[in-house]
Amino acid sequence: MKFMVEICKLVGRFKVVLVMVMVQVAYTGSNVLYKLAASDGMSLRIIVAYRFIFASAFMIPLALIFERKNRPKLTWMILFQAFLCGLFGGSLFQHMYLESLVLTSATFATAMFNIVPAVTFILAISFRLEKVGIKTLAGRAKVMGTLMGIGGAMFLTFYKGAEINLWKTHINLLKHYHSHEGQLASSDDHGNYTLGCLLAVASCFSYALWLIIQAKMSPRYPCPYSSTALMSLMASIQAVVYALCMEKDWGQWKLGWNIRLLTAAYLGIVVVGMMVTLVIWCVRLRGPLFVSIFNPLFLVFTALAGSMLLNETLHLGSILGATLIICGLYAVLWGKNVEIKKISDSNVENSNTEHDMP
């Protein structure tokens, strides 16, 4: 019994960390399903549109039921911030990221996405949501951990090394679908490749900016279900309008009992509905940098999932890169924990001083 109590206390202490690891695992599932849907010929723009339609349909009833009594009044400022969240963290980010996949390569776009922690760090300092504290050990740990995470992600992406055969599942889900390589093929045109590079970088800034806006919005509207519902609704309107303007084939919108419906439902309900709600909750508790530093774990889980489910080969670079990412993550978590403890101790001292005053 005492052991179970200790386990519960440990889980309570690290619940935010466990939540963010779970978020990255869910993102990995979306990556696998996205590959399957793209291989089946589903339009990338339609995937994005359905992603937020399903998310809106799932989150709006939850927000109305669970946050009916404690939801603050909806103001024009909150609506504007929700619109920006839907744009930078939803439709614009998704379209720029997926378009960069088409114009460059999956390897390049995935590698570039790992500069999000660094961009978030810079923006958080600029908006005074984080303090560098480079003279303190905790501050140096945050900076070094962020750099180690980015370095590990780049190492995992660009260095292969020897093949590692830890297991052989002989499972390849892609073989059940007709390959449509045109959607994800690299372009040989230099102008298009340059545009793809710019879009990849812009998508990183867009995602980081969403985390910053969300951190600003959370104190004013501390309702994760309602925040996700508003963001999903705004993003669905933006994505549907864009898809209707760009896609001329109405057959692309058809969903059957197949991988397309599963992908749209999973991306909308699990990834946007559940996971974005958890991300918003974590941003409110620990700030945007804390959330962004978990992004490189996505690469680690994707490499493992690809090895187990898509018959992809695991290489030495994946193992070394994953080790660097985990070490960097630990350094940032340690630095944040020291800062939180220091703030907590300071608040206790101030409270005691006030009580002692006559």
Side-chain angles (χ1 to χ4, degrees):
M1 187 67 183
K2 188 178 179 181
F3 176 74
M4 289 302 296
V5 171
E6 290 298 321
I7 291 292
C8 290
K9 285 182 180 178
L10 190 65
V11 171
R13 282 178 58 195
F14 293 101
K15 63 182 177 181
V16 183
V17 175
L18 294 174
V19 163
M20 283 310 304
V21 172
M22 185 174 67
V23 167
Q24 297 306 319
V25 172
Y27 284 173
T28 303
S30 73
N31 198 45
V32 173
L33 287 172
Y34 164 74
K35 285 183 179 180
L36 296 176
S39 295
D40 196 47
M42 191 174 185
S43 166
L44 305 179
R45 299 183 184 97
I46 303 297
I47 292 177
V48 174
Y50 272 126
R51 174 184 183 132
F52 293 110
I53 290 171
F54 272 80
S56 300
F58 178 70
M59 289 308 301
I60 290 173
L62 289 181
L64 292 174
I65 294 168
F66 293 110
E67 294 175 342
R68 183 177 67 256
K69 295 179 180 179
N70 59 348
R71 186 169 49 241
K73 185 181 178 181
L74 202 60
T75 64
W76 285 109
M77 177 55 73
I78 292 171
L79 281 174
F80 178 64
Q81 287 178 326
F83 176 83
L84 293 179
C85 286
L87 184 67
F88 292 117
S91 59
L92 182 63
F93 160 68
Q94 285 293 322
H95 283 118
M96 288 195 297
Y97 178 72
L98 294 178
E99 194 65 29
S100 71
L101 283 177
V102 175
L103 296 177
T104 57
S105 68
T107 302
F108 180 83
T110 307
M112 286 305 297
F113 188 62
N114 289 287
I115 69 170
V116 168
V119 175
T120 306
F121 199 11
I122 294 167
L123 290 176
I125 293 167
S126 302
F127 286 92
R128 297 182 179 180
L129 294 172
E130 286 283 343
K131 293 181 180 178
V132 183
I134 198 68
K135 293 182 180 180
T136 65
L137 190 58
R140 287 197 290 269
K142 287 198 302 181
V143 174
M144 287 303 298
T146 303
L147 294 175
M148 284 174 68
I150 296 166
M154 296 298 181
F155 196 80
L156 188 152
T157 305
F158 293 116
Y159 175 72
K160 286 191 174 181
E163 289 187 10
I164 305 292
N165 294 311
L166 295 176
W167 51 70
K168 212 62 177 166
T169 61
H170 300 290
I171 297 173
N172 184 8
L173 299 178
L174 286 173
K175 70 181 180 182
H176 300 293
Y177 301 96
H178 301 294
S179 180
H180 290 73
E181 296 295 333
Q183 291 200 71
L184 297 174
S186 300
S187 176
D188 294 328
D189 184 76
H190 180 71
N192 284 344
Y193 187 84
T194 303
L195 177 61
C197 294
L198 293 174
L199 286 172
V201 174
S203 70
C204 296
F205 275 89
S206 180
Y207 188 87
L209 199 54
W210 165 56
L211 293 177
I212 299 298
I213 295 169
Q214 190 61 59
K216 292 285 188 181
M217 180 181 172
S218 290
R220 190 179 278 119
Y221 201 67
C223 303
Y225 293 120
S226 299
S227 292
T228 307
L230 280 173
M231 174 183 168
S232 301
L233 182 62
M234 296 294 183
S236 64
I237 295 169
Q238 297 159 3
V240 167
V241 169
Y242 182 70
L244 289 173
C245 292
M246 300 299 294
E247 291 292 340
K248 306 302 180 186
D249 182 10
W250 287 97
Q252 281 285 347
W253 290 90
K254 186 179 179 181
L255 292 177
W257 293 101
N258 52 25
I259 192 63
R260 298 187 180 201
L261 177 61
L262 177 62
T263 301
Y266 181 86
L267 289 174
I269 296 171
V270 178
V271 176
V272 179
M274 296 180 182
M275 296 305 118
V276 169
T277 302
L278 293 174
V279 168
I280 290 171
W281 177 71
C282 291
V283 167
R284 185 160 62 90
L285 288 180
R286 297 294 176 88
L289 175 64
F290 178 89
V291 171
S292 70
I293 202 64
F294 284 86
N295 279 7
L297 278 181
F298 172 64
L299 262 183
V300 179
F301 294 143
T302 298
L304 294 174
S307 175
M308 290 187 289
L309 301 176
L310 302 177
N311 202 30
E312 295 176 354
T313 306
L314 200 63
H315 293 87
L316 178 63
S318 302
I319 305 298
L320 296 177
T323 305
L324 267 176
I325 288 169
I326 291 167
C327 290
L329 178 60
Y330 177 80
V332 174
L333 291 176
W334 180 85
K336 289 290 290 182
N337 188 53
V338 169
E339 287 184 349
I340 290 168
K341 190 176 180 182
K342 192 177 291 184
I343 292 169
S344 179
D345 291 343
S346 176
N347 290 338
V348 170
E349 286 179 11
N350 292 336
S351 178
N352 290 336
T353 304
E354 289 176 4
H355 284 304
D356 292 339
M357 288 178 66

